[in-house]
């Protein structure tokens, strides 16, 4: 015989409001439904090795039992084959009892209007209680949705003049409409102020609201066939305002609406052309305007305060958006608006001395031509994949995060200016300024001292000279693939420096404090003949790579004493001099290859290489002189230097030497070196042995 458990499910219902006037919201009253649970033995088809089935549902006929037509969820609890009774076992163990626990489930993802969580499982420890670790399954029995409909309330006993009656009840038949038999209670509003949430489902509902001045709850207009929404008197919505999924809606006009207490969302209205919110001053939550493909204009001239995110996305016909706020602005995302050409986001001071904005993102707006962003402080700026963008202006004193401008093939000018009302003499970016676009001008203003940034990346620009722009970069500086860049200047760099594939680069100047904290990577700059811009650098914290620079004659890092990583000098066919005369220690490897040197010079002071050393493939090199070198941590390879005749390693007492394929180097010279230096040695393919 099955067991029965009863569980009270509480609904908070709204008591009828007093008629006439702006009364306080009504106090909730409690109504009670029952969730009934029944456990039956499982059939062989349900559980081949035995078990039970837990059924649950609402006790709609209030007879205290779960009838067959009331079952909403069924969960088998089956025994494993190993736990099933054995026919040959005279004293089989009884399987654990199946227990059920019913917990209240608040409104949320599992149940829109609340309900119950029915949890079941075997009582493995035999304590008669379903513990958390014993729960094998959870099913949800959700309460019937609460529906509301509006009807006119004529003058009479409940209202002295016309009013609105809100009829409320549960959708017991599940048809999505509140039938006359489903009405459980009625609230009446007799004034032009409504204290409750309002859901508009028809043009008739809308007509009842035409003279309403304030709705203290939420207002939703969803999934209707209404063609036009006009509420000329409505000045206040205390909760959320949502207009969504109205397939025939072409116009939304709320000209008197001054404030929305929580979020305002207008989305997924396929035919909506125009939104009139000319009186709107503030929104207490988010502003979302999205997926309204016909929306060509939205009027927000008075809007000055939005407390949460602003999202403008997927409005294919929208041509411009202008947001002018006071004091504060949260994140702004303007994305995927196919016709958008102009964006203005400006925060001005009113009550506060400074203005602050969150992160502004302009993404995938293919016709966006101009963007203007202004606030004393931004959390970040992200401008990506705006194919027609020609100019962007950012007025700010401080951007705490990154400024990222990428994939804007038409971008010509970017202005980074201090805020108009500010006394600051430079713009500070806490993150990285990353510009990967073919702009010809990155301007910081006449009166500014320059930029202070966490990092700097210029990639694929058409800038010819970049100077008097950057005062201090705390992180890395990267110039990559800028074909017109002939000269740049950065006053101070705290991280690394990357110069990669800048075809016209002939000179640069980095006024560091003597130390570059990251890697120095100078590769593929065809016109660069020297690196005198690093002549004052005494140490490099990471790797030093100088490679593939077709015209490089000498590095000219004459003050460099220490490198914290590898040193690699390779494939610089014009290189005649290493010019690292003060370098004493290399914490990583040394690689010198593909140079035009005929005589070794420029590493006169090098004493310690903590990694390996490679001197390979230098076709004209006749001598190697590392006269101060005392230690090599790994093996030392000297290979394929066809003109090499002499190796000078006078201070080296121990190393694993691999000297091969140097046909002009006499083998006896190598033998003599092997005799003087302890270690494991190998030679092969060198010159003939001495007589």
């Amino acid at each position: 015989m099955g067991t029965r458990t009863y569980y009270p499910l509480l609904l908070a219902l709204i008591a009828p409001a007093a008629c006439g006037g702006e009364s306080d919201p009504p106090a909730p009253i409690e109504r009670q439904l029952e969730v009934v649970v029944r456990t039956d033995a499982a059939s062989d088809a349900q559980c081949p090795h035995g078990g039970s089935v837990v059924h649950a549902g609402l006790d709609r006929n209030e007879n205290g039992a779960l009838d067959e037509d009331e079952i909403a969820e069924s969960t088998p609890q089956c025994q494993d084959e190993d736990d099933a009774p054995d026919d040959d076992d005279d004293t089989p163990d009884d399987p654990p009892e199946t227990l059920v626990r019913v917990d209240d489930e608040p409104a949320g993802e599992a149940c829109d209007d609340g309900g119950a969580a029915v949890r079941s499982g075997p009582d493995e420890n035999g304590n008669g209680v379903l513990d958390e670790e014993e729960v094998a399954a959870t099913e949800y029995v959700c309460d019937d949705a609460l529906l509301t409909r509006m009807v006119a309330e004529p003058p009479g006993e409940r209202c002295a003049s016309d009013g609105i009656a809100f009829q409320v009840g549960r959708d017991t038949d599940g048809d999505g409409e509140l039938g006359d038999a489903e009405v459980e209670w009625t609230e009446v509003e007799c004034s032009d102020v409504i204290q409750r949430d309002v859901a508009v489902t028809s043009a008739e509902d809308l007509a009842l609201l035409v003279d309403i001045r304030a709705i203290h709850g939420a207002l939703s207009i969803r999934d209707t066939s209404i063609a036009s929404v006009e509420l000329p008197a409505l000045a206040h919505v205390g909760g959320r305002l949502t207009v969504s999924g109205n397939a025939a809606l072409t116009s939304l006009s709320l000209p008197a609406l001054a404030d929305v207490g929580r979020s305002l969302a207008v989305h997924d209205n396929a035919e909506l052309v125009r939104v009139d919110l000319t009186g709107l001053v503030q929104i207490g939550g988010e502003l979302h305007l999205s997926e309204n493909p016909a929306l060509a204009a939205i009027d927000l001239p008075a809007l000055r305060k939005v407390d949460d995110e602003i999202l403008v996305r997927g409005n294919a016909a929208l041509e411009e958006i202008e947001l002018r706020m006071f004091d504060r602005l949260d994140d702004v995302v303007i994305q995927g608006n196919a016709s958008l050409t102009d964006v203005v986001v400006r925060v001005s001071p009113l009550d506060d001395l400074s203005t602050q904005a969150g992160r502004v993102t302009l993404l995938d707006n293919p016709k966006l031509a101009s963007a203007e962003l202004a606030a004393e402080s931004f959390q970040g700026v992200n401008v990506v994949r705006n194919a027609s963008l020609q100019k962007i202006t950012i007025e700010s004193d401080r951007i705490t995060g990154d400024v990222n401008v990428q994939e804007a093939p038409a971008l010509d000018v970017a202005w980074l200016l201090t805020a108009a009302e500010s006394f600051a003499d430079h713009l500070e970016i806490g993150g990285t300024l990353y510009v990967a676009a073919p702009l010809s001008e990155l301007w910081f203003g006449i009166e500014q001292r320059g930029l202070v940034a966490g990092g700097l990346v210029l990639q694929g620009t058409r800038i010819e000279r970049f100077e008097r722009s950057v005062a201090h970069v705390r992180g890395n500086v990267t110039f990559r693939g800028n074909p017109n860049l002939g000269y740049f200047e950065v006053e101070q760099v705290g991280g690394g420096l990357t110069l990669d594939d800048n075809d016209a680069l002939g000179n640069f100047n980095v006024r560091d404090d003597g130390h570059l904290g990251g890697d120095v990577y100078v590769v593929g700059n065809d016109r660069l003949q020297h690196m005198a811009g690093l002549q004052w650098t005494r140490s490099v914290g990471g790797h030093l790579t100088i490679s593939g620079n077709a015209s490089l004659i000498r590095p000219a890092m004459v003050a460099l004493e220490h490198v914290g990583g590898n040193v690699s000098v390779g494939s610089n066919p014009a290189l005649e001099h290493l010019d690292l005369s003060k370098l004493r220690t290399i914490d990583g490897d040394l690689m010198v290859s593909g140079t035009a040197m005929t005589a070794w010079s420029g590493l006169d002071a090098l004493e310690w290489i903590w990694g390996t050393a490679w001197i390979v493939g230098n076709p004209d090199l006749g001598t190697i002189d590392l006269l101060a070198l005392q230690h090599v941590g790994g093996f030392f390879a000297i290979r394929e230097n066809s003109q090499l005749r002499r190796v000078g390693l006078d201070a080296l007492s121990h190393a694993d030497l691999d000297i091969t394929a140097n046909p002009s180097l006499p083998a006896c010279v190598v033998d003599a070196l092997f005799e003087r230096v302890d270690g494991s040695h190998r030679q092969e393919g060198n010159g003939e042995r001495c007589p």
Side-chain angles (χ1 to χ4, degrees):
M1 181 175 175
T3 61
R4 291 182 174 87
T5 305
Y6 303 100
Y7 178 76
L9 178 63
L10 301 182
L11 288 176
L13 305 180
I14 307 301
C19 297
E22 300 183 20
S23 60
D24 292 331
I29 62 173
E30 292 184 353
R31 292 202 175 182
Q32 194 166 298
L33 296 174
E34 289 180 331
V35 171
V36 191
V37 178
R38 188 179 81 206
T39 303
D40 297 333
S43 66
D44 290 342
Q46 292 170 315
C47 293
H49 305 291
S52 57
V53 179
V54 178
H55 304 288
L58 295 172
D59 185 15
R60 297 190 182 280
N61 61 12
E62 300 183 9
N63 68 348
L66 182 65
D67 300 323
E68 290 299 320
D69 59 353
E70 294 174 331
I71 294 174
E73 300 291 345
S74 297
T75 305
Q77 293 288 340
C78 299
Q79 298 178 52
D80 295 332
E81 182 177 1
D82 294 340
D83 297 330
D86 189 342
D87 293 338
D88 297 331
D89 190 347
D90 295 333
T91 59
D93 295 332
D94 291 333
E97 181 184 3
T98 296
L99 299 182
V100 179
R101 189 179 81 224
V102 184
D103 299 327
D104 180 43
E105 180 67 23
E109 184 177 348
C111 292
D112 289 343
D113 295 280
V118 181
R119 296 181 170 88
S120 56
D123 186 16
E124 299 286 0
N125 59 14
N127 68 350
V129 177
L130 183 65
D131 301 317
E132 287 299 323
E133 62 272 15
E134 296 173 330
V135 173
T138 300
E139 300 291 347
Y140 297 95
V141 178
C142 298
D143 187 48
D144 297 320
L146 283 176
L147 300 180
T148 302
R149 69 182 185 188
M150 290 188 289
V151 297
E153 179 70 20
E157 182 179 345
R158 294 196 291 191
C159 284
S161 59
D162 292 337
I164 303 174
F166 293 89
Q167 298 174 338
V168 184
R170 289 167 292 185
D171 185 19
T172 56
D173 60 10
D175 66 353
E177 297 181 0
L178 186 65
D180 291 342
E182 293 173 323
V183 175
E184 298 182 37
W185 78 98
T186 299
E187 301 173 12
V188 178
E189 299 281 2
C190 301
S191 71
D192 57 3
V193 176
I194 296 176
Q195 304 289 342
R196 67 181 325 279
D197 294 345
V198 176
V200 174
T201 61
S202 66
E204 290 75 18
D205 291 348
L206 194 64
L208 295 173
L209 301 176
V210 70
D211 294 323
I212 296 299
R213 291 189 302 107
I215 298 172
H216 288 322
L219 171 61
S220 65
I221 306 172
R222 292 177 175 165
D223 302 320
T224 75
S225 58
I226 298 172
S228 177
V229 172
E230 295 186 19
L231 295 175
L234 185 62
H236 169 76
V237 174
R240 294 182 175 88
L241 171 55
T242 305
V243 181
S244 67
N246 302 286
L249 185 64
T250 61
S251 175
L252 174 63
S253 179
L254 305 172
L257 184 63
D259 73 286
V260 176
R262 299 185 70 181
S263 63
L264 190 159
V266 180
H267 63 88
D268 296 287
N269 302 285
E271 302 296 328
L272 183 62
V273 175
R274 183 171 181 272
V275 175
D276 180 4
L277 295 168
T278 50
L280 185 61
V281 175
Q282 63 180 16
I283 300 170
E286 303 161 341
L287 170 60
H288 283 191
L289 305 169
S290 60
E291 308 304 332
N292 304 290
L295 183 62
I298 178 166
D299 297 325
L300 297 165
L303 185 61
R304 295 295 180 265
K305 186 174 185 291
V306 179
D307 286 347
D308 211 325
E309 178 190 61
I310 295 177
L311 173 65
V312 182
R313 182 176 62 199
N315 305 289
L318 188 64
E319 295 184 355
E320 62 181 31
I321 184 75
E322 186 168 333
L323 302 169
R324 296 182 180 271
M325 303 291 146
F326 283 141
D327 295 339
R328 298 287 186 275
L329 179 64
D330 206 274
D331 293 346
V332 176
V333 178
I334 300 176
Q335 178 182 357
N337 302 283
S339 301
L340 188 67
T341 60
D342 294 280
V343 169
V344 175
V345 179
R346 181 172 288 275
V347 186
S348 301
L350 180 63
D351 297 324
D352 295 342
L353 295 177
S354 63
T355 61
Q356 299 179 12
R359 184 175 181 84
V360 176
T361 298
L362 308 178
L363 177 65
D364 288 320
N365 302 287
K367 293 186 178 180
L368 182 64
S370 175
E372 177 185 329
L373 312 176
E376 289 184 27
S377 173
F378 285 98
Q379 291 182 5
V381 176
N382 189 38
V383 182
V384 179
R385 293 197 300 272
N386 300 284
S388 301
L389 185 63
Q390 298 175 21
K391 180 179 178 180
I392 181 170
T393 301
I394 302 172
E395 295 181 28
S396 184
D397 293 348
R398 186 166 61 94
I399 300 172
T400 57
D402 296 334
V403 176
N404 183 26
V405 182
Q406 295 188 60
E407 299 180 61
L411 186 62
D412 185 55
V413 177
W415 289 6
L416 301 176
L417 310 174
T418 52
E421 300 85 2
S422 169
F423 296 101
D425 64 355
H426 67 270
L427 166 62
E428 180 173 352
I429 298 176
T432 296
L433 172 60
Y434 191 113
V435 179
L439 77 171
S440 60
E441 184 178 5
L442 182 59
W443 195 54
F444 291 87
I446 296 175
E447 301 299 328
Q448 290 181 222
R449 187 169 60 86
L451 171 77
V452 175
L456 173 65
V457 178
L458 293 186
Q459 179 173 324
T461 75
R462 297 195 303 269
I463 294 173
E464 296 181 0
R465 294 181 68 87
F466 187 77
E467 56 186 324
R468 210 185 63 77
S469 300
V470 179
H472 182 194
V473 178
R474 292 180 291 269
N476 299 325
V477 171
T478 298
F479 291 87
R480 175 176 287 122
N482 303 284
N484 300 339
L485 183 66
Y487 176 79
F488 76 85
E489 179 180 298
V490 179
E491 291 189 14
Q492 188 171 344
V493 178
L497 175 66
T498 295
L499 306 178
D500 182 10
D501 195 23
N502 302 287
D503 293 341
L505 186 63
N507 197 4
F508 63 91
N509 190 9
V510 176
R511 302 176 186 174
D512 58 53
D513 61 358
H515 174 70
L516 291 173
D519 297 337
V520 174
Y521 184 84
V522 182
V523 176
N525 305 283
D526 288 345
R527 296 188 184 179
L528 188 66
Q529 295 184 348
H530 59 79
M531 295 163 50
L534 297 175
Q535 62 182 313
W536 309 116
T537 302
R538 296 189 303 275
S539 67
V540 172
H543 302 310
L544 172 60
T545 302
I546 305 170
S547 177
N549 303 285
S551 303
L552 187 68
I553 298 173
R554 55 195 308 162
M557 297 181 69
V558 295
L560 185 65
E561 298 176 0
H562 173 257
V563 175
N566 301 330
V567 173
S568 178
V569 182
S571 301
N572 302 286
L575 187 69
E576 298 176 354
H577 197 295
L578 289 176
D579 238 5
L580 304 172
S581 57
K582 291 188 177 180
L583 181 60
R584 297 170 61 88
T585 58
I586 298 172
D587 289 352
D589 302 334
L590 171 66
M591 164 68 82
V592 179
S593 65
T595 73
M597 291 191 298
T598 58
W600 186 272
S601 62
L603 285 173
D604 305 336
L606 184 61
E607 297 177 352
W608 290 78
I609 301 172
W610 289 97
T612 60
W614 298 75
I615 302 175
V616 177
N618 301 280
D620 300 319
L621 185 63
T623 61
I624 295 175
D625 290 310
L626 289 168
L627 302 181
L629 184 63
Q630 302 174 26
H631 175 83
V632 177
F635 67 88
F636 189 167
I638 300 174
R639 298 176 180 173
E640 300 174 9
N641 303 286
S642 59
Q643 301 299 317
L644 184 64
R645 297 179 302 277
R646 180 171 61 83
V647 176
L649 299 172
D650 295 0
L652 188 63
S653 60
H654 179 88
D656 295 332
L657 297 173
D658 182 7
I659 303 178
T660 59
N662 304 284
S664 299
L665 181 65
C668 61
V669 172
V670 178
D671 289 339
L673 181 63
F674 287 175
E675 290 179 3
R676 189 178 58 77
V677 178
D678 293 336
S680 175
H681 307 317
R682 171 178 176 264
Q683 76 155 316
E684 181 180 341
N686 297 311
E688 296 182 359
R689 295 188 176 275
C690 302

